[in-house]
Amino acid sequence: MIPKTLAVLTAGGDAPGMNAAVRSVVRSALALGMRVFGVKRAYEGLVRGLLSELGARDVGGILQRGGTVLQTARFPDFAKPDIQREALRQLNAQGVDALVAIGGDGTMRGAAALEGLGFPVVGIPASIDNDVYGTDISIGVDTALNTIIEAIDKLRDTASSHQRAFIVETMGRDCGHLALMSGIISGAEMTLIPEQETSAEEVAAAVRGAYERGKTHAIVVVAEGAKLHANALKEKLDKMNTGFDSRVTILGHVQRGGSPSAWDRLIAARFGVAAVERLAKGEHGVMVGLQATSVLGTRLEEVSIRKRAADLEYYRMARMLAK
Ligand code: F6P
């Protein structure tokens, strides 16, 4: 069945670029002749019937805004089948025949549950944690990483002035992606992640090594889900004579805010169009995502005789979303 009326929601922790994705879903659905309803406050709002129709103008001026204009909510009760059935009742009452769910792994579980009850859903991955299966990158990760490295660059300034070691805690729940990436791009001495246990002694050796090599600062990135927490690590390091005095900075929710980066806006636009076009072809029960972003090798002789042209798919997309 090809849907005539879509609903769109954002759920779980907000992520920069969610608004760009909502705009993309709404504008591409309108371009295909569908009506669109926005659901306020995620699955909880869906159950309470907080749906209102959106036009092209309602999503104007939101592309560059952080957060989500649809708002979001944590709603563990959505795991209950009777609550899910109430959500379906609300969707049916409004004449909605398909849903686009934008969010992280919990959002996709909710989406899978509705799909399992026979309601067509397509998911769009958005979570700064980058722990959603089926995509190499989720909306919001790039902006969060930019926020983190901006903070670490500033911390490095003061760390160098005072010859200190900074222990910086990043978000990510039980996934080490944000910490790992920011460790690489900020030149940290050591990165602690939930997936890999690291002892305080190993960290102390890395920090001491930095001191002995004449470095004026040391940065240690600790994922919030790492076994050894940032404050516990500081206590231990302070007893181990690394050469540096240490301080802890917990970046916290600042990582979730801010205007989305160019990359996040672009994948949000692409995912929104892809989600709606899949629904328009009668496909559902899937999450759209970006895959195969590995580093590969290409023969130099081929590179030297060929050129990379602009992808005209983007031309079509740009026209469709500029309404
Ligand atoms: O999933 C995004 C995230 O920011 C995690 O990194 C973090 O553990 C969690 O949400 C915090 O949730 P809340 O904002 O509900 O405290």
Side-chain angles (χ1 to χ4, degrees):
M1 193 221 22
I2 309 301
K4 290 194 180 66
T5 306
L6 297 188
V8 57
L9 59 77
T10 53
D14 60 348
M18 277 183 161
N19 283 328
V22 169
R23 171 183 177 272
S24 175
V25 168
V26 171
R27 297 252 172 108
S28 42
L30 294 174
L32 294 174
M34 299 172 184
R35 292 176 70 197
V36 194
F37 283 79
V39 182
K40 280 262 169 177
R41 275 176 256 152
Y43 291 116
E44 186 177 358
L46 184 56
V47 171
R48 290 168 52 201
L50 305 181
L51 283 81
S52 55
E53 190 159 1
L54 296 173
R57 293 280 62 71
D58 296 314
V59 291
I62 65 168
L63 173 63
Q64 72 284 10
R65 283 169 56 189
T68 161
V69 292
L70 292 179
Q71 302 180 313
T72 182
R74 305 276 189 204
F75 187 48
D77 272 359
F78 201 67
K80 297 177 183 160
D82 54 325
I83 303 268
Q84 293 161 5
R85 277 192 291 275
E86 177 54 25
L88 287 191
R89 212 186 57 71
Q90 294 287 357
L91 288 164
N92 291 331
Q94 296 281 355
V96 174
D97 42 28
L99 175 71
V100 177
I102 305 170
D105 53 355
T107 307
M108 295 312 139
R109 278 193 291 278
L114 292 180
E115 178 73 34
L117 291 173
F119 194 84
V121 189
V122 169
I124 294 181
S127 161
I128 66 162
D129 299 348
N130 213 27
D131 57 350
V132 183
Y133 180 80
T135 187
D136 289 347
I137 191 140
S138 296
I139 296 168
V141 176
D142 185 62
T143 308
L145 283 174
N146 279 295
T147 301
I148 295 169
I149 51 162
E150 194 186 332
I152 296 182
D153 286 349
K154 288 178 177 165
L155 291 173
R156 196 187 297 105
D157 291 345
T158 174
S160 276
S161 307
H162 288 263
Q163 293 94 57
R164 282 175 173 159
F166 266 81
I167 299 164
V168 185
E169 187 189 279
T170 58
M171 274 190 167
R173 207 182 288 275
D174 46 15
C175 175
H177 182 87
L178 274 187
L180 268 183
M181 298 303 116
S182 44
I184 292 170
I185 60 184
S186 70
E189 322 305 323
M190 186 68 101
T191 303
L192 277 66
I193 56 171
E195 296 86 346
Q196 178 84 44
E197 214 169 311
T198 311
S199 68
E201 287 71 22
E202 283 174 82
V203 180
V207 171
R208 195 178 301 115
Y211 181 80
E212 286 166 0
R213 290 195 304 279
K215 282 201 173 185
T216 52
H217 62 263
I219 303 289
V220 178
V221 178
V222 182
E224 66 174 341
K227 272 228 164 64
L228 191 52
H229 292 167
N231 285 315
L233 176 62
K234 175 188 162 42
E235 263 183 44
K236 292 191 174 183
L237 282 191
D238 286 349
K239 291 182 192 136
M240 284 190 221
N241 186 28
T242 61
F244 292 116
D245 195 12
S246 71
R247 293 287 185 276
V248 173
T249 298
I250 297 186
L251 295 177
H253 286 79
V254 72
Q255 295 161 95
R256 289 232 300 258
S259 179
S261 66
W263 171 260
D264 277 329
R265 294 181 200 197
L266 189 62
I267 56 168
R270 293 179 69 190
F271 288 169
V273 171
V276 171
E277 289 189 339
R278 272 166 198 265
L279 282 168
K281 284 187 196 136
E283 190 183 339
H284 53 85
V286 293
M287 183 194 78
V288 296
L290 205 61
Q291 292 186 15
T293 50
S294 320
V295 177
L296 304 171
T298 305
R299 305 277 323 151
L300 279 174
E301 61 196 68
E302 199 180 341
V303 176
S304 58
I305 55 166
R306 302 181 77 155
K307 246 194 176 336
R308 189 181 188 285
D311 184 345
L312 289 182
E313 172 58 19
Y314 289 114
Y315 182 77
R316 186 184 73 85
M317 203 173 94
R319 297 201 61 176
M320 183 156 79
L321 298 183
K323 284 288 176 286

